[in-house]
Amino acid sequence: MEEIVDFMLKNVKNIQTKFLLAVLPSVFIIAFVFMVLTTVFSFQEKKQQRIKAVEDYAAAQSFAIGDMLWSMRYEELEIYLKGMIKHPFLSGISVNVSGSDRSFQLGLSRDNAFPDDLCLLEMPILHYLDPDKTRLGTLIVCTEEASILKAMIPSILRDCALILLLIMAVIAGVVFAYRQTVGMPLKNLLWYIRNFQGDRANGTVPVSSMDELGQVIEAYNGMVIQVNDKTRALEDANFELKTINENLEDLVQQRTHALQKSENKYRSIFENAMEGIFQVDEQGQFMDANPALVKLMGCFSIDDLLCTVKGITRHMFVTPRVFDDFYALLKKKGRVNGFEAQIYRKGGDIFWAMLSAHSVHDRVGRHPVFEGSLVDISERKANEAAHKKREAAEMANQAKSEFLANMSHEIRTPMNAIMGMSDLALRTSLSTRQRDYISKIKSSSRALLIVINDILDFSKIEAGHMEMESIEFNLEDTFNELSHLILWEARKKRLDVIFDIAEDVPRGLVGDPLRLRQILINLTGNAVKFTEKGQIIVQVRCRGDMKKISGVLPEHRDLYGKTTLQFNIIDTGIGLNPEQTQALFHSFTQADMSTTRKYGGTGLGLSISKKLVEMMDGEISVTSQLGRGSTFSFTACFGRHEHVQKELSVPRNTKEMKGLTVEGLDMIRGAHILLVEDNEINRQIAVELLEHEQFFVTPVENGKLALETIINRGESHQFDAVLMDVQMMEMDGYTATGEIRKLSPLVRQVPIIAMTAHAMKKHRERCLAKGMDDFISKPIDPRVLFSTLVKWIVPQKRQLPQSPLRVKKTAESDFLTEPVPGIDIKGGLSRFRDNPDGYWRMLMKFYHNRSDINGKMESAFAASDMDRLRSEAHSMAGVAGNLGLNGLSDAASELEKAALAGAVDPDKWLDYQRQFKEIVLGLTPLANQWRTVCASTGENRQEGTIKMKNVQAILIDVKKEVGTDYARAMEKIKSLLSLLSGTPFQADMERICQMMDDFEDDNALNYITKLILKLKTQES
């Protein structure tokens, strides 16, 4: 086809015919493509319409098919499908039943397969009444594409005829338009070209339109015009060239003057710049430098600089390797900004400089050089170094403070056990030697606690973390506490202590009572310590020369609510010489080393007192005479309030002191206290302290159990106070407090007092922020504990607890005389303060709970749960260590380390199991003997730990209180459960306790009755 068209175009001379021969094939091709595309699109549209119609029809019929499948009317279904297949659009139907091989096909091949030219539609068959929309089967319908195409043949033929007619009309229109727009203008242009003469300037052709042909004509007309324009332009160019030649010399002179002006400008900048500017060749020799660089390098002139610095590598950079890095970076990137290095000055001085440079070529353009600037940054470097040192110092202070806080916490926890156990032991019957030993332990532990507090306070002051409170307080309370602490020690040394407080001293003050008391205790404690005979006077005065505050007259002082008090502590002790007084308030300083050896102390007390006095806008001083005594004086500024104005009730001297009691304690005895403490030793100490003062105590091990206990008691039997440890497993004290505060109003108002070994102010503030009411620091001071309880428990008359009486003689010690494999009996007894009763009961508790204790370990090991195994091993190591099971404790510690590392050596596990079995085998015969003793006659039992008559009496009281006072009955049951631990009646009490926890009151009453009869039988 293309060859034919090319032949016709070559042999036809009429452009109109050539145009038609070139256009007609394209027109026919376009028409054919258009017709094909129209047919395809029409086919697709009709196909989609048919599929939609089939889909709608199938969807409408699926409900009826679903109903037939639901009721299994398969014959009716086949008839129904035969009716459906008659639809003109359907060529095949298939119904597959879910959960069955049954299917129905119509219009398919013999092998029930759908032909490839079918359009398939598949949809689920559901029953409209089934709420679960269970799929009963699948409906598949199909339609043939050939039928769609067959239906479109008449429309395709009609479209082809219309397209042919349209092509013919287009060709006729094209021919007519060509003659009008192309043929006639071309003939006209040809005539003008043939008649054009080169010397004519008016041979232009009229332009009828601006199409392509019009543009050709317009170009021809432009060519004619350009002939005349170029002639005129050539004449003008000749004239301009002549003018330029005449003015060229003037232009060169102007450019030369401008260049000289620019050079002078940049030379001025170069000479007067503050930073050093330089140019160096590739050998490192200075080519040029400005005066600023000459001055930075310590030279007198540029010539001096060139003579001094032969090469910047050898004579300028302190470290040649640094220059190598600088030059390599310059060669690589062509530019360096802010490169810092140490530079030599003339004379050998070193300074820090910052260089910026870039590569250029010399004026010839061949040899590379680099030029740039140099700035002295020595001052900035010094500031950065100082800043880093300051940050390092701050970090060191922070680390030290955190270490001391953690150290304080870690020391206070065992200190609580030492001091608490000492107090409890001193309340028991002891020999003279034992009482002397324990008294010394108690006094030494208190001395150690004072040292710990001094170090912690000094660290906080040094780090700037010590903050002064500003709260209202009563001076009477401060001196009451001071008198209780000082008078007792003074009476032991037969010293007279006199409190001399002026009448005009205000009682209601605003400030930090804790820090004031700390200063007074420190100074008066030193006075007692360093005075062997005579007296100590504590004076308080309003400063006479300080009554004028900031220019305010004394009579107007109260308007400003400020007062300055002066405190004088006067003793008749050993005194100081002038040299000693000068260094007295320095840290870690005492009068001499013999003082430390004789009296003890860290030398921090006075330094801390000085800092605290200064923080209270006061001053501290000392006047002393060696061998005759000292007077320590300090001033402090306080605000004032009038809420409390009453006479001080502190003892005026040691003769007025009768004893150390907590005021108001009698009015809260019998209160119900929930003790939340996870450490068993600390829990035992707190329980015995509280029970000794006749409180009802319910001990639990974590916050979760505390929350459950409070909820189970209900609103009408709530606790009077909660003593809450902070750091516990499962649920800590903060979380438990938050959950308690979410309960009903009557329950969530219970006072919650935090107990923690953390003693810093931020921990106290965190406890209060978490919803706790008060804060007690460990080790627990009984006076602080009971004073805090008096503060928060509502005073009223309460029934006091009646506990089972313990007799003096115990049978437990008989079982601790012979050695037991794997048990360090002596070490275990020492940890229980030589209390064989408590030690034996804990050993029996360990023995009876051995399956549960070891089972947790075995479960964690079998599951390869390293976190749980580490936790259980840690707990086992602590329990075993406290009981003197040293081998088992060591084996558990090894397991803990291995679990922390992520893998447990089987040999270590076998060693642990061996140690555990050895202890169990050693305790088994002793436990059997203990059961025999417990099952012996009542006379023998009476010589043991518990009087059975008292147990029976308590159980009878419990029966009466189950229906009236559930909480009180539950407390007595738990008390009996603890008391009867390790006896034949332990299981009975555990059963009763479980029934009460499950609110099975009737079953519990029946079981209590049976237990009372059992006890009577045992007694008889």
Side-chain angles (χ1 to χ4, degrees):
M1 182 65 180
E2 294 179 355
E3 295 176 355
I4 297 173
V5 172
D6 291 339
F7 174 80
M8 294 176 64
L9 290 174
K10 292 178 181 179
N11 293 279
V12 175
K13 297 181 179 180
N14 191 335
I15 190 172
Q16 176 177 330
T17 306
K18 289 182 177 181
F19 174 78
L20 290 176
L21 290 175
V23 170
L24 283 178
S26 299
V27 172
F28 278 108
I29 291 172
I30 292 172
F32 176 77
V33 172
F34 175 79
M35 183 177 66
V36 171
L37 293 177
T38 303
T39 303
V40 171
F41 290 151
S42 178
F43 172 78
Q44 291 296 330
E45 182 180 2
K46 290 187 177 297
K47 178 180 176 181
Q48 292 300 323
Q49 291 174 354
R50 176 165 292 190
I51 290 172
K52 183 65 172 62
V54 171
E55 184 178 6
D56 294 341
Y57 178 73
Q61 300 303 320
S62 66
F63 292 99
I65 295 173
D67 185 64
M68 296 174 191
L69 290 179
W70 180 271
S71 55
M72 297 183 182
R73 299 183 307 224
Y74 298 124
E75 292 85 3
E76 184 178 347
L77 176 60
E78 290 180 354
I79 297 172
Y80 192 86
L81 294 178
K82 290 178 181 180
M84 285 179 62
I85 197 63
K86 295 179 181 180
H87 192 282
F89 293 163
L90 296 182
S91 59
I93 301 175
S94 174
V95 176
N96 299 322
V97 182
S98 297
S100 171
D101 296 331
R102 184 184 295 273
S103 61
F104 305 88
Q105 289 86 20
L106 292 176
L108 306 180
S109 60
R110 292 181 179 179
D111 56 357
N112 295 328
F114 290 98
D116 294 334
D117 63 338
L118 296 183
C119 296
L120 300 177
L121 290 174
E122 181 178 342
M123 60 182 64
I125 301 175
L126 309 173
H127 194 270
Y128 63 94
L129 295 179
D130 183 9
D132 297 328
K133 302 299 181 183
T134 304
R135 185 168 183 158
L136 302 176
T138 304
L139 173 62
I140 303 175
V141 296
C142 59
T143 182
E144 294 180 342
E145 293 183 355
S147 61
I148 300 173
L149 189 60
K150 183 177 179 181
M152 292 178 60
I153 291 177
S155 62
I156 292 172
L157 295 175
R158 182 176 63 252
D159 293 339
C160 290
L162 290 174
I163 290 171
L164 289 174
L165 290 175
L166 181 62
I167 290 172
M168 293 176 65
V170 168
I171 292 173
V174 167
V175 171
F176 177 78
Y178 179 83
R179 290 177 61 85
Q180 294 296 322
T181 59
V182 178
M184 295 302 295
L186 280 176
K187 289 182 179 180
N188 192 18
L189 175 60
L190 181 61
W191 184 84
Y192 274 93
I193 291 173
R194 288 174 177 174
N195 291 283
F196 176 73
Q197 294 181 0
D199 55 350
R200 279 183 168 179
N202 56 353
T204 58
V205 182
V207 180
S208 60
S209 65
M210 288 304 297
D211 54 10
E212 289 82 358
L213 184 58
Q215 293 176 9
V216 171
I217 297 172
E218 185 68 25
Y220 168 78
N221 293 336
M223 183 179 63
V224 173
I225 295 172
Q226 285 178 4
V227 171
N228 295 329
D229 292 342
K230 287 183 178 182
T231 301
R232 288 192 298 269
L234 183 59
E235 293 174 353
D236 294 339
N238 290 332
F239 178 78
E240 184 177 358
L241 181 59
K242 182 179 179 181
T243 303
I244 290 173
N245 289 332
E246 292 175 353
N247 298 324
L248 182 59
E249 186 175 352
D250 294 337
L251 182 61
V252 170
Q253 291 179 354
Q254 293 175 3
R255 295 291 177 90
T256 303
H257 178 72
L259 183 61
Q260 185 65 38
K261 185 178 179 180
S262 176
E263 184 178 355
N264 293 336
K265 174 183 176 182
Y266 286 106
R267 172 55 61 177
S268 175
I269 295 174
F270 178 78
E271 296 290 340
N272 299 312
M274 298 298 294
E275 65 271 11
I277 302 175
F278 59 86
Q279 188 178 59
V280 181
D281 62 19
E282 58 183 341
Q283 283 76 35
Q285 179 65 41
F286 278 110
M287 298 172 61
D288 198 2
N290 70 337
L293 181 65
V294 172
K295 183 178 180 181
L296 280 175
M297 297 302 297
C299 299
F300 302 107
S301 63
I302 182 63
D303 294 333
D304 186 19
L305 175 65
L306 296 178
C307 293
T308 302
V309 184
K310 299 295 184 181
I312 62 174
T313 308
R314 300 188 308 275
H315 299 95
M316 185 171 170
F317 280 82
V318 174
T319 306
R321 181 178 53 81
V322 175
F323 172 76
D324 295 338
D325 296 338
F326 171 76
Y327 192 64
L329 192 62
L330 186 63
K331 289 181 65 177
K332 180 179 179 181
K333 296 186 176 180
R335 179 179 295 273
V336 177
N337 290 318
F339 189 89
E340 298 179 0
Q342 287 184 300
I343 304 297
Y344 281 121
R345 280 195 179 95
K346 181 180 179 180
D349 293 339
I350 298 175
F351 70 98
W352 275 98
M354 182 174 67
L355 295 94
S356 298
H358 62 277
S359 296
V360 295
H361 289 83
D362 59 9
R363 297 175 180 176
V364 183
R366 290 178 297 178
H367 300 290
V369 299
F370 63 90
E371 57 188 21
S373 62
L374 184 146
V375 180
D376 187 350
I377 59 171
S378 299
E379 184 177 355
R380 195 195 79 189
K381 280 291 184 179
N383 292 335
E384 289 178 356
H387 180 69
K388 289 180 179 179
K389 288 182 180 179
R390 186 165 57 253
E391 286 185 340
E394 291 174 353
M395 291 176 64
N397 271 334
Q398 179 69 22
K400 182 178 70 174
S401 298
E402 293 178 358
F403 167 74
L404 289 174
N406 292 332
M407 181 192 70
S408 171
H409 176 270
E410 295 300 326
I411 295 177
R412 284 168 181 270
T413 299
M415 282 289 291
N416 181 48
I418 295 171
M419 296 173 66
M421 284 297 186
S422 300
D423 281 332
L424 296 176
L426 288 172
R427 297 179 185 181
T428 62
S429 58
L430 300 171
S431 66
T432 302
R433 178 175 294 182
Q434 289 172 336
R435 184 168 296 277
D436 178 59
Y437 290 164
I438 295 177
S439 297
K440 289 178 178 177
I441 291 173
K442 180 179 178 181
S443 61
S444 298
S445 62
R446 290 191 181 276
L448 179 58
L449 184 61
I450 292 172
V451 173
I452 295 169
N453 290 336
D454 282 349
I455 294 174
L456 186 60
D457 285 343
F458 181 76
S459 172
K460 288 191 288 186
I461 292 173
E462 193 178 51
H465 294 163
M466 178 70 76
E467 297 179 359
M468 304 296 291
E469 288 187 327
S470 182
I471 60 175
E472 295 181 355
F473 70 97
N474 186 358
L475 191 61
E476 177 182 357
D477 296 336
T478 302
F479 272 86
N480 264 324
E481 295 169 358
L482 177 65
S483 66
H484 287 312
L485 293 171
I486 298 302
L487 294 180
W488 185 264
E489 298 295 329
R491 189 170 68 174
K492 290 192 296 184
K493 299 181 73 173
R494 301 182 180 274
L495 299 174
D496 289 331
V497 179
I498 300 172
F499 292 97
D500 179 12
I501 304 166
E503 294 296 331
D504 63 340
V505 172
R507 274 50 169 174
L509 301 176
V510 178
D512 193 329
L514 177 65
R515 299 306 171 191
L516 174 61
R517 185 176 67 227
Q518 184 175 353
I519 299 169
L520 290 171
I521 290 173
N522 197 338
L523 297 179
T524 54
N526 284 344
V528 173
K529 183 195 301 184
F530 296 110
T531 302
E532 297 300 329
K533 61 181 180 178
Q535 66 181 11
I536 297 168
I537 302 174
V538 181
Q539 291 181 343
V540 186
R541 297 287 187 270
C542 283
R543 274 286 295 267
D545 58 343
M546 291 297 292
K547 289 185 178 180
K548 186 176 181 180
I549 302 175
S550 301
V552 181
L553 296 176
E555 58 268 22
H556 298 150
R557 179 182 53 182
D558 291 345
L559 297 176
Y560 289 83
K562 292 286 186 180
T563 187
T564 299
L565 301 182
Q566 177 171 319
F567 300 83
N568 303 317
I569 294 86
I570 308 168
D571 65 62
T572 57
I574 60 177
L576 301 166
N577 59 39
E579 292 78 11
Q580 291 171 337
T581 57
Q582 290 179 358
L584 196 59
F585 294 104
H586 295 172
S587 302
F588 303 101
T589 300
Q590 289 192 337
D592 55 41
M593 292 305 297
S594 63
T595 302
T596 302
R597 290 192 296 270
K598 181 176 180 180
Y599 298 101
T602 61
L604 287 175
L606 292 177
S607 175
I608 293 171
S609 297
K610 182 176 184 295
K611 295 290 186 181
L612 293 177
V613 167
E614 291 173 352
M615 293 176 70
M616 299 170 77
D617 297 328
E619 298 175 348
I620 188 169
S621 61
V622 60
T623 58
S624 181
Q625 187 174 355
L626 190 63
R628 302 191 63 178
S630 305
T631 300
F632 284 83
S633 302
F634 71 93
T635 59
C637 186
F638 299 97
R640 298 183 59 177
H641 71 90
E642 304 300 330
H643 300 160
V644 178
Q645 284 290 338
K646 59 182 179 180
E647 291 297 324
L648 291 175
S649 60
V650 300
R652 294 293 174 175
N653 52 52
T654 52
K655 298 180 177 62
E656 297 180 16
M657 185 183 68
K658 298 180 179 178
L660 297 178
T661 60
V662 177
E663 184 180 358
L665 183 59
D666 291 335
M667 296 303 297
I668 65 169
R669 284 191 170 96
H672 293 254
I673 296 176
L674 176 62
L675 174 65
V676 191
E677 170 65 69
D678 64 337
N679 185 281
E680 188 167 2
I681 296 178
N682 290 343
R683 193 163 60 247
Q684 178 186 352
I685 293 169
V687 168
E688 295 198 20
L689 279 174
L690 293 166
E691 288 183 346
H692 184 269
E693 296 296 337
Q694 295 181 294
F695 289 95
F696 290 98
V697 186
T698 301
V700 294
E701 298 176 6
N702 55 59
K704 183 178 180 182
L705 293 176
L707 184 61
E708 294 174 356
T709 303
I710 289 176
I711 294 173
N712 291 337
R713 286 179 71 95
E715 295 184 352
S716 59
H717 300 91
Q718 267 310 311
F719 294 101
D720 296 295
V722 178
L723 294 174
M724 181 77 72
D725 189 18
V726 172
Q727 295 181 347
M728 297 177 289
M729 299 293 289
E730 189 139 3
M731 181 185 288
D732 60 30
Y734 298 133
T735 306
T737 300
E739 295 299 322
I740 292 171
R741 297 308 187 204
K742 295 177 184 177
L743 301 177
S744 62
L746 291 178
V747 176
R748 69 187 180 210
Q749 293 176 1
V750 59
I752 300 176
I753 302 166
M755 298 190 304
T756 176
H758 288 297
M760 298 186 72
K761 182 180 178 182
K762 64 179 181 181
H763 298 115
R764 176 186 180 93
E765 292 175 347
R766 185 183 180 189
C767 291
L768 299 180
K770 292 293 185 179
M772 299 179 179
D773 297 293
D774 215 325
F775 177 96
I776 297 176
S777 175
K778 296 178 183 177
I780 294 175
D781 184 338
R783 182 177 299 278
V784 175
L785 171 63
F786 294 122
S787 297
T788 306
L789 291 176
V790 168
K791 177 180 177 182
W792 290 103
I793 296 178
V794 178
Q796 63 183 40
K797 277 290 183 179
R798 295 178 174 87
Q799 181 179 351
L800 300 180
Q802 297 178 356
S803 301
L805 297 177
R806 293 183 178 271
V807 295
K808 189 173 181 180
K809 175 65 178 175
T810 64
E812 285 79 354
S813 58
D814 297 337
F815 293 89
L816 301 175
T817 56
E818 299 295 331
V820 180
I823 303 179
D824 178 11
I825 295 177
K826 184 177 180 180
L829 280 172
S830 68
R831 292 183 181 89
F832 279 79
R833 302 298 184 265
D834 292 323
N835 178 11
D837 182 3
Y839 181 49
W840 176 255
R841 282 190 286 114
M842 293 305 295
L843 276 176
M844 288 296 97
K845 185 174 183 180
F846 175 84
Y847 177 79
H848 290 304
N849 295 336
R850 63 189 183 279
S851 299
D852 180 57
I853 295 173
N854 197 41
K856 293 179 180 178
M857 295 276 289
E858 291 177 342
S859 174
F861 179 75
S864 297
D865 189 344
M866 294 296 107
D867 289 338
R868 188 154 59 95
L869 180 60
R870 179 190 57 78
S871 177
E872 296 296 338
H874 176 80
S875 178
M876 173 64 80
V879 171
N882 287 330
L883 293 177
L885 315 180
N886 298 335
L888 180 62
S889 178
D890 293 341
S893 297
E894 290 298 320
L895 279 181
E896 180 186 4
K897 294 177 183 177
L900 184 62
V904 175
D905 187 355
D907 292 338
K908 292 183 179 180
W909 175 254
L910 292 176
D911 179 54
Y912 161 77
Q913 290 286 8
R914 181 183 61 78
Q915 295 283 351
F916 188 85
K917 290 179 181 178
E918 180 184 20
I919 292 167
V920 171
L921 291 175
L923 286 175
T924 298
L926 296 179
N928 293 333
Q929 294 176 30
W930 174 248
R931 291 193 187 95
T932 303
V933 171
C934 292
S936 62
T937 63
E939 180 63 22
N940 291 336
R941 189 58 194 154
Q942 181 135 355
E943 294 178 358
T945 305
I946 304 167
K947 289 184 177 181
M948 293 304 172
K949 289 183 179 179
N950 289 339
V951 175
Q952 295 174 33
I954 293 176
L955 286 173
I956 292 172
D957 290 341
V958 168
K959 287 185 63 177
K960 296 177 182 178
E961 293 173 349
V962 166
T964 58
D965 193 342
Y966 181 87
R968 189 181 299 276
M970 194 64 191
E971 288 175 1
K972 291 182 178 181
I973 288 172
K974 289 184 177 181
S975 178
L976 284 175
L977 175 60
S978 175
L979 186 69
L980 295 174
S981 175
T983 71
F985 308 107
Q986 177 181 348
D988 297 317
M989 290 308 305
E990 289 176 349
R991 182 74 181 275
I992 293 171
C993 189
Q994 184 62 46
M995 291 176 179
M996 292 292 289
D997 284 339
D998 296 337
F999 299 99
E1000 300 177 2
D1001 297 351
D1002 295 336
N1003 293 335
L1005 288 172
N1006 292 334
Y1007 209 94
I1008 291 171
T1009 302
K1010 293 178 182 179
L1011 181 57
I1012 293 173
L1013 293 175
K1014 187 176 179 181
L1015 291 170
K1016 288 181 178 179
T1017 303
Q1018 178 74 23
E1019 184 179 8
S1020 63

